[in-house]
Each structure stands twice: as structure tokens, then as C-alpha cells.
Amino acid sequence: MNRFRLRATAYALVILLGVLAALPSILPPTSLQWAPDWYRQHHLSLGLDLQGGSHVLLKVEQGPLLAEKTRKIAQELSQRLDRNGIQHGRPVVDADHVRLAIRPAAAMEAAERLAADIRDNQGRRQLAVTHDGLFLLLRPSSSLSQQVVSDAVERSLDVVRRRIDETGVVEPRVTRQGDDAILVQLPGVTDPERITALLGRTARLTFHLVADGSGPDRTLALPGAEDGRRYQVEATPLLDGGQLADARLGFDSRTHQPVVNFTLDSDGGRLFGDITTHNVGRPFAVVLDGEVITAPVIRTPITAGRGEISGNFTPQQAGDLAMLLRAGSLPAPLQVVEQRTVGAELGGDTIRMGVISGALGAALVLVFMISIYRRWGVIANTALAINVLLVLGLLASFGATLTLPGIAGLILGIGMAVDANILINERIREETEKGKNAMAALRAGFQRAFATIVDANITTLIAVGLLFGFGSGPVRGFAVTMAVGLLVSMFTSVSVTRLLMEWRLRRRQRQPLALPEIPGFQRLRQRQRPIQFMRVKALGIVLSVLLSALSLGALVWPGLNQGIDFLGGTAMEVQVPASLPENTLRQALRDAGLTDAALQPFANDGHFLVRMPASDEGNARVETAKTAITRLDAGSRFPRVDMVGPAVSGGFIEASILAVLLAGAGMFAYLRLRFERHFAWAALITLLLDVSKTLGFFVLTGVEFNLTAIAALLTLIGYSVNDKVVVFDRIRENQKLNPDQPLETLINVSLTQVLTRTLFTSATTFLALLPMGLLGGGAVASFALPVLFGIVVGTTSSMYIAAPMAMFLERWRPTQRADTEALAERP
């Protein structure tokens, strides 16, 4: 078997496996009934923005957790102080530290040494110790804080999973996010208030004797959950929820009121029997999360290990409490810091929009390739179809979740995959014009295009990698789709396309290769003199700097239309009859007490966006707004509700700024490695100008600036540098071939040579995204529209800004070097 057949066999096997992996995600389930279950389930999962559901981010409240851990270690320190004869007071929790009085003051230094000597099993200090007058101040060390929070998150994950399983939600996803957060995705749940309330409750159940003055000195004053009384109970619990074996909803046989019947395990039952035997006649308080639910008097010993918790419960409240007790208590409270809800109907509309815009974008690209390359365009389109199937197959194999930004990444990947084919075809055309036969031109074209393709893809992968590292949710889905698409395109555009072209030329390898010509571009290539791009170099740079300065000024006033990702708060999409006046809606919100709610038209007639600032009562305010609007029209719908807390939005701002800065630094470092310094600096300066003008586009159009917009900026950074790599690569190549040619002439020649491929590659990416920009609506406007604008800006800046900038920097460098040498020669 010759090398061609061996490659063909290997590629065919890879493609076959990819297609088989993609089929369950493409074909309807009814057509795969013959297949085994494991194969039918091997498909892409749909994100919540496509199928509907709720996304909830829960954050562990570290303060109480670390304070309690520090208090326990302080008790251990108290014992050490006693053994060393050092007098001290009782440990007192005070905000983020524990105070411990030391007497006399001369013993403070010894007490500090004892505190600093408390270590864990790995020998790490557990306390950070300082003092203030007579008080020893104890705080958890960084290693202890990290360990305690990590353990709490792991235990909370297990409890949250059990609680969700109890609610009956189908296929929930509960994953750890970051150091101290838990991400919960609930498909099909479009009213998550009850579930989030259940997830956030600590559900720590303890049993205390009510203090009667005869017990230990230390007591706690706890509020009653229903009656408003203050109960003085003994501080040390005699029993806790960890000894429960089961808890179920029941009804009191006398009052028929809902109660929670609980059963203790063997140890708990024995302990409960001892407690009730020795404390007949005393009230026994049942405490849940610091509130006394009930405090019945012990009438007789209870030795069966069973009991009931009564209160003014509704059946749902008693059932929820029983569920919480069965699932176990959380080690620390969980705060809902982000919540996003998408209705199933909106998800279905999003899928249809994504499929239609994606199909139209792909069709435009396919038609464009055939129109400019004819039969060679068919080969490129064949490789493109294989690319899409392999990407879907790989994403399904990785267990990836397809989101709307993921669909955008897939569409953008189609345009960028074709870019490589255009680079190859144009290189082959140039080699053919030098008089080489078909096979020689083919090999030289692929060889010369390969380095440019690798450089361009790596720069884009840098931006995509930062998106994955700093993004979350759907933005990460976009990054994964883009990364897989770029890597697969290296295989399809280079290997598969080359194999198909070699197969097409196998019978006429030594004949000239005839690539179709477009008349206007044919005359462009046959010009005797290059286009004089450098004649407007100063005007281009001045105009670009001026537009960037105006764009940066617009960031100050009127400023970006920031979304709740950065501002925090609540954004609720409302759909009402088109006949309902906007002023009526606004007045209804005011009458409901939501005076700070902003109402603005959104998408079509009858669609509005209600925005409310961040508040601890986010869910309650959402329900108030829904009630007020529903009173105006009972058929009102709320397709989407997003809530983002201030802590999360602040984190988004920091992460986004860092991601953009790192993207620029990463691009510069890679270009500095692959090109000379003046090229890297020219690319970085031009990139800053491109990004600033794109920010001005956000201000001018009023497109919402959110996390999807950050994805657009990073994509633009990758694509813009991608385009400049093509230009710089040709300039560098011509410098090696014609080292004595004047630099300005050389750049004009290089830009004229790459003009065709630059316009073609930009056109394919633009056409791929154009339908999504026109049809996508508000859901993807923050991504598609800025990227379309960025493609135009990036293409023109490569010609009129980056190349002249590289020339100025190249001319400035020898002058600077000569000045330095002249200074060094002075006496």
C-alpha cells in the first residue's frame, strides 16, 4: 500500500469515527431505536438557554464557618494555657476573629507562642496571632481557611445533591465552581424560588433543654420561629440532626395539623431515651437554624427512638422540612449570588433561531467558496462539512453542553476554518503563476501556507483559552466549541483538503493547475505596479487614533450600556399584549413599591425588560413585579429572569479586565517569539486601537455590554491578530527575498499580494456570522454585532495601520541604535 492509500485509509477511519460520534446529536431519536442505549445517549446536551431551566450559583458563607472553627481551636488553646498556668478569659467571637483575655500582661508573649504552636497534621500553623492590649486576637491562618472552606464545599455538594434529588428534578447538574461556590443547573425548572430557598437553608437541627437556672451557667437566648418569644436554652445541645435516621411528613392524630415525624438511629434513640427519662417535666426545645420551632414539656420518657416536630406548618412547609432533615444539614449557609431562568418556550425559539442562522451562514460560505474557486471550492466545502461533523462528534465525546454562545462559536469556527482553505488556495495560485506544475504548486502552496495557518490559529487559541479560564457558563461553552473547531480545522483544512486535491490531480500531476479567476481580482494580481497603500499611512494612523480617542471619551460619557453581569441586580424579560401601554406597565411597578425598577422596550412590540438594582430580597421583588404585571394582563409571560449579586458582578469585572489584558500580553509574547520586535509592537498597538473602536461601537449602538461582549472582544483580539499574522508573514518573506528593496515599496508589494486572501478570508467569516447578527435578536446581539464590526475594523487596520506602524518602528529602531552608539563614543 503506497503512502497516499495509507493516509486515505487513516483519514477515512478518523472521519468515520467522528461521524458515528456525531450522529446521535444530529438524527432524531426515533431513527436510532435500533442502537444500544449507550450509543443513543452519546449526544450533545442542550444548555439551559436552549432547553429552558434555571441556573443557580451558591456561595458558601465563610464568616460563620471560620469563626466557629477558630472558636473551637481557641478552646484547645485555653486548655494549653491552663496547663501552663496562664490565666485567661473565655473565648469570644468578634466579627472575623476570636478575642481571648490574658492576665497578667507579662504572660502575653508566652500565650502568643502557645497559640502559634497549634498546628495541623501537616505541621502548618492554624492560627494567625496578634494582640491588642490585654486581648489575644486569633484569626484562622490562610492554610486553615482554605482547608475549612474546601471541606465545607465538598460536604455541601453532597447535601445539595441529596436535596435536589428529593425534589424530583430530572437530570440536575451540581458542580463545584471556583474555591467557594456551587453551580446548580436545573433543566425544566422555570420557577426556582422554592428550590433555591431549600438549597440555601442550613437545616441544622439541635435539641436543647430550656434553662431553669439549675443547669450550666452558659445559656443562649433564641427567638421562637412562630410565637415571637425569646427562649433561654442551655448552650450545649444534647442531640443533633446527625443522629436522625428518617424524617417524614405526617399529621397530628388530635389536631390533624401537619407535623414532621422523625426516627433516630440506634445511638440517637438510646440518648433520646436517657434525656427524656432524666428530665421529665422540663421543656425540651427543638431548634432549627437558630430558631426554636417548638418547646414541648417532656411528659413521659420516650424510649422508642421516635418523635415529632410540630408547629404552625402548612403541608408543603412540613414536607420541605422533612426533606431537609433527611438530606442532612449544611456545614455553612449557602447564599444565592446568581440566578438565571429561561422559559422552555424561549429555549425552543432560541434553538430554531440558532439552527436557521447557522444554516444560512454555512450556506453563504459554501456558495461563496464555490463562486470563487468552482470545483476547488467543492473540495473546500467537503472538508468544511467533515469539519462540522468532527466538531460535533468530539463535543459529544467530551460530554460538552451546547449553548447559544456555543452555536455562535460553531458558526464562527466555520468561517475561520474556510480561512485556512483560502490561504492554501491563494498560495497554490501564486506557485502556479511562477510556472510550477500542478503537484509542485500544490506541495509548495501547502508548505508556505502551513506556518501562517499555525500562527493564526495559535493566536486565536490564546484568546479562547483565556475565555475558558475566566469565563463561566455559556461563555465557557463558546470557548470549548471554538477551541475544538480550531484544532479540528487544522486536520480538515490541511490534511483532508490536501488528500482530496492530490486525488483530484493524480492523473495530471505535471500539467499546469488552472484555478478559476474572478475578473476584478485577476487584474489586481496582474498589476505591474503595487497599490500605493503607504501614501495614506499618516492619514490612516491619525484617523485611527482620533476615532479611538473619541471612543475612549465616549466610555466616560455617555458610557457603556452595562448589563447586570457587571452592575449586579435583576433583569426580567416581560411579554405582554402589544396594546398594553408602556406607561401603564411603569405605573403598575411604581404602585407595587418598585420605584427603582427601570422599564425599557425590548425586541418586538409587547416585549419589555425590567431592571432592578441588586438587593437581598431579589426573589421577593421579582415575585412582586410578576404579580403587578399579571394583574394588568393574566396572560403575561416572563421568558427570562436573571439575578446577579454585587459580589459576583464585581468578580466578573475583575476577571474580564484581567482576561483582556492577558490576551494582549499573550499575543505580544507569541508574536515576539515568531516575529521581530517591531512586528510584535505594531500588532499590539493596532490591537489596542481596534479594541477601543469596538468599545466605541458598543456606546454608539447601545448594545448591552455583558459577559458575551467580553467573549466578542477576546474573539476580536484573536481574529484581528490572525489577520495581521498573514500580512506580517508576507512582509517578512519578501524582506528575505529582496533585502535591498526600499521598505515602503516592499510593504506596498506585500499588501497587494495578500489583498485578495485578506478580503476573501474576512468575507467568509463575515458571511458566516451575518445571519446571526440579523436574526439573532437580543440574545446574541452582544456577540454577533461587535464581531461583525470588528472584522471590518481588523481587516482595514491590518492594511492601513499595522503595516505602516511596523514600518515606522523598523525605521525608528536603527536610528535609536545609532544615537545610542554615538553617545557611547563621546569622551
Side-chain angles (χ1 to χ4, degrees), residues 429-748:
R429 190 197 303 276
E430 291 178 6
E431 299 301 322
T432 300
E433 291 173 351
K434 294 176 183 179
K436 294 181 179 179
N437 62 42
M439 192 55 68
L442 180 69
R443 290 171 180 166
F446 272 92
Q447 182 180 358
R448 291 182 179 277
F450 183 74
T452 305
I453 293 171
V454 170
D455 286 338
N457 283 347
I458 287 179
T459 54
T460 306
L461 281 171
I462 291 173
V464 169
L466 290 169
L467 266 180
F468 184 83
F470 291 93
S472 63
V475 174
R476 277 195 165 190
F478 167 80
V480 170
T481 305
M482 276 292 296
V484 172
L486 288 170
L487 294 174
V488 171
S489 71
M490 291 289 292
F491 169 68
T492 56
S493 301
V494 177
S495 302
V496 175
T497 301
R498 181 167 184 169
L499 184 75
L500 293 174
M501 295 182 81
E502 287 179 358
W503 172 78
R504 186 72 180 81
L505 297 173
R506 69 191 187 284
R507 294 182 180 175
R508 48 192 184 92
Q509 298 184 17
R510 300 191 178 277
Q511 298 177 12
L513 179 61
L515 285 172
E517 290 279 5
I518 298 177
F521 290 98
Q522 181 181 8
R523 289 194 297 271
L524 176 63
R525 275 190 291 271
Q526 293 174 351
R527 286 175 61 98
Q528 297 298 318
R529 295 184 58 198
I531 300 173
Q532 301 300 305
F533 289 95
M534 294 298 100
R535 283 184 179 176
V536 294
K537 56 183 180 295
L539 176 62
I541 291 176
V542 170
L543 183 61
S544 178
V545 171
L546 178 61
L547 289 175
S548 293
L550 291 174
S551 297
L552 294 176
L555 294 179
V556 179
W557 186 87
L560 293 166
N561 175 26
Q562 295 184 62
I564 63 169
D565 290 334
F566 297 120
L567 294 176
T570 301
M572 180 172 66
E573 188 177 334
V574 179
Q575 186 174 349
V576 297
S579 58
L580 190 62
E582 180 180 340
N583 288 335
T584 303
L585 276 175
R586 187 173 283 109
Q587 188 60 46
L589 293 173
R590 289 174 183 165
D591 293 343
L594 302 174
T595 55
D596 55 357
L599 182 72
Q600 65 185 65
F602 177 76
N604 304 321
D605 291 341
H607 286 70
F608 296 91
L609 195 66
V610 178
R611 288 190 174 188
M612 293 178 281
S615 169
D616 293 335
E617 300 177 350
N619 277 322
R621 288 165 63 83
V622 167
E623 289 304 309
T624 301
K626 286 182 178 180
T627 301
I629 295 171
T630 305
R631 284 175 183 166
L632 297 177
D633 186 275
S636 301
R637 295 195 302 113
F638 309 92
R640 181 190 295 269
V641 179
D642 294 341
M643 286 191 294
V644 178
V648 175
S649 60
F652 283 154
I653 294 173
E654 296 171 2
S656 299
I657 293 173
L658 185 59
V660 172
L661 292 177
L662 286 178
M667 302 293 179
F668 176 78
Y670 182 77
L671 290 175
R672 182 66 187 88
L673 180 67
R674 295 286 291 134
F675 293 88
E676 293 183 43
R677 182 181 301 173
H678 57 281
F679 286 122
W681 278 111
L684 181 61
I685 294 170
T686 311
L687 197 60
L688 293 174
L689 294 173
D690 290 349
V691 170
S692 62
K693 284 191 277 289
T694 306
L695 291 173
F697 172 83
F698 276 102
V699 176
L700 183 64
T701 59
V703 172
E704 185 176 288
F705 193 78
N706 49 31
L707 283 181
T708 308
I710 296 298
L713 283 180
L714 289 176
T715 302
L716 168 62
I717 289 172
Y719 186 83
S720 183
V721 173
N722 181 322
D723 200 42
K724 288 157 185 58
V725 164
V726 175
V727 173
F728 291 164
D729 184 66
R730 178 53 64 95
I731 294 173
R732 180 177 59 180
E733 180 182 330
N734 285 335
Q735 279 182 320
K736 293 178 181 178
L737 294 174
N738 305 291
D740 297 327
Q741 190 174 38
L743 185 58
E744 187 165 325
T745 302
L746 186 142
I747 291 177
N748 283 330

Side-chain angles (χ1 to χ4, degrees), residues 325-490:
L325 298 180
R326 288 197 302 274
S329 63
L330 291 167
L334 294 178
Q335 180 186 4
V336 179
V337 293
E338 182 183 353
Q339 180 177 311
R340 302 178 190 270
T341 302
V342 177
E345 184 176 341
L346 179 60
D349 292 342
T350 303
I351 293 176
R352 285 189 291 274
M353 182 278 299
V355 171
I356 292 172
S357 60
L360 286 175
L364 289 174
V365 171
L366 297 179
V367 170
F368 181 80
M369 290 299 291
I370 292 176
S371 66
I372 61 174
Y373 292 121
R374 308 294 194 275
R375 57 187 177 183
W376 305 109
V378 174
I379 290 177
N381 290 343
T382 302
L384 183 61
I386 293 171
N387 173 278
V388 173
L389 290 173
L390 291 181
V391 170
L392 292 176
L394 278 174
L395 291 175
S397 300
F398 294 156
T401 299
L402 186 64
T403 61
L404 181 58
I407 293 176
L410 190 62
I411 297 170
L412 182 60
I414 290 173
M416 298 184 74
V418 175
D419 289 357
N421 288 106
I422 292 174
L423 287 171
I424 292 167
N425 284 337
E426 292 303 312
R427 275 292 191 177
I428 293 173
R429 190 197 303 276
E430 291 178 6
E431 299 301 322
T432 300
E433 291 173 351
K434 294 176 183 179
K436 294 181 179 179
N437 62 42
M439 192 55 68
L442 180 69
R443 290 171 180 166
F446 272 92
Q447 182 180 358
R448 291 182 179 277
F450 183 74
T452 305
I453 293 171
V454 170
D455 286 338
N457 283 347
I458 287 179
T459 54
T460 306
L461 281 171
I462 291 173
V464 169
L466 290 169
L467 266 180
F468 184 83
F470 291 93
S472 63
V475 174
R476 277 195 165 190
F478 167 80
V480 170
T481 305
M482 276 292 296
V484 172
L486 288 170
L487 294 174
V488 171
S489 71
M490 291 289 292

Side-chain angles (χ1 to χ4, degrees), residues 101-398:
I102 301 296
R103 303 182 187 87
M108 182 64 70
E109 185 175 348
E112 284 191 54
R113 285 198 302 270
L114 288 173
D117 198 42
I118 299 178
R119 300 175 183 269
D120 61 15
N121 295 333
Q122 284 75 41
R124 295 173 299 188
R125 286 188 177 182
Q126 295 200 279
L127 295 174
V129 186
T130 57
H131 70 273
D132 181 14
L134 296 176
F135 289 98
L136 197 64
L137 306 182
L138 308 175
R139 292 180 174 85
S141 65
S142 58
S143 61
L144 177 64
S145 299
Q146 184 177 0
Q147 177 189 345
V148 169
V149 172
S150 180
D151 290 345
V153 172
E154 288 300 321
R155 285 186 288 152
S156 298
L157 277 170
D158 185 51
V159 173
V160 167
R161 287 192 184 103
R162 290 201 302 268
R163 290 184 182 181
I164 293 176
D165 288 342
E166 291 276 358
T167 65
V169 175
V170 179
E171 296 184 355
R173 294 186 63 187
V174 182
T175 56
R176 182 169 182 166
Q177 181 155 315
D179 296 328
D180 60 353
I182 296 172
L183 177 62
V184 179
Q185 293 180 310
L186 307 169
V189 175
T190 57
D191 189 21
E193 284 74 18
R194 171 173 169 260
I195 292 179
T196 54
L198 294 177
L199 295 181
R201 289 191 68 178
T202 309
R204 184 171 185 266
L205 182 72
T206 54
F207 297 83
H208 303 249
L209 286 171
V210 175
D212 61 357
S214 62
D217 294 334
R218 187 161 178 257
T219 61
L220 294 174
L222 299 178
E226 298 292 340
D227 55 16
R229 286 181 52 191
R230 301 290 294 182
Y231 291 83
Q232 204 74 20
V233 302
E234 294 182 0
T236 304
L238 300 181
L239 201 65
D240 61 45
Q243 291 159 311
L244 285 178
D246 192 17
R248 299 288 171 183
L249 166 67
F251 293 90
D252 187 277
S253 58
R254 293 173 289 109
T255 64
H256 304 293
Q257 291 294 315
V259 296
V260 176
N261 294 318
F262 65 85
T263 304
L264 298 167
D265 60 20
S266 57
D267 291 337
R270 184 169 52 254
L271 182 58
F272 194 60
D274 291 342
I275 294 169
T276 54
T277 298
H278 294 96
N279 293 280
V280 172
R282 291 190 62 181
F284 196 38
V286 180
V287 179
L288 181 69
D289 291 342
E291 292 185 335
V292 177
I293 297 178
T294 182
V297 176
I298 302 173
R299 301 299 183 189
T300 58
I302 303 172
T303 58
R306 295 187 180 89
E308 71 176 33
I309 301 173
S310 60
N312 293 323
F313 300 134
T314 65
Q316 181 175 332
Q317 289 173 335
D320 287 347
L321 176 57
M323 182 274 290
L324 289 172
L325 298 180
R326 288 197 302 274
S329 63
L330 291 167
L334 294 178
Q335 180 186 4
V336 179
V337 293
E338 182 183 353
Q339 180 177 311
R340 302 178 190 270
T341 302
V342 177
E345 184 176 341
L346 179 60
D349 292 342
T350 303
I351 293 176
R352 285 189 291 274
M353 182 278 299
V355 171
I356 292 172
S357 60
L360 286 175
L364 289 174
V365 171
L366 297 179
V367 170
F368 181 80
M369 290 299 291
I370 292 176
S371 66
I372 61 174
Y373 292 121
R374 308 294 194 275
R375 57 187 177 183
W376 305 109
V378 174
I379 290 177
N381 290 343
T382 302
L384 183 61
I386 293 171
N387 173 278
V388 173
L389 290 173
L390 291 181
V391 170
L392 292 176
L394 278 174
L395 291 175
S397 300
F398 294 156

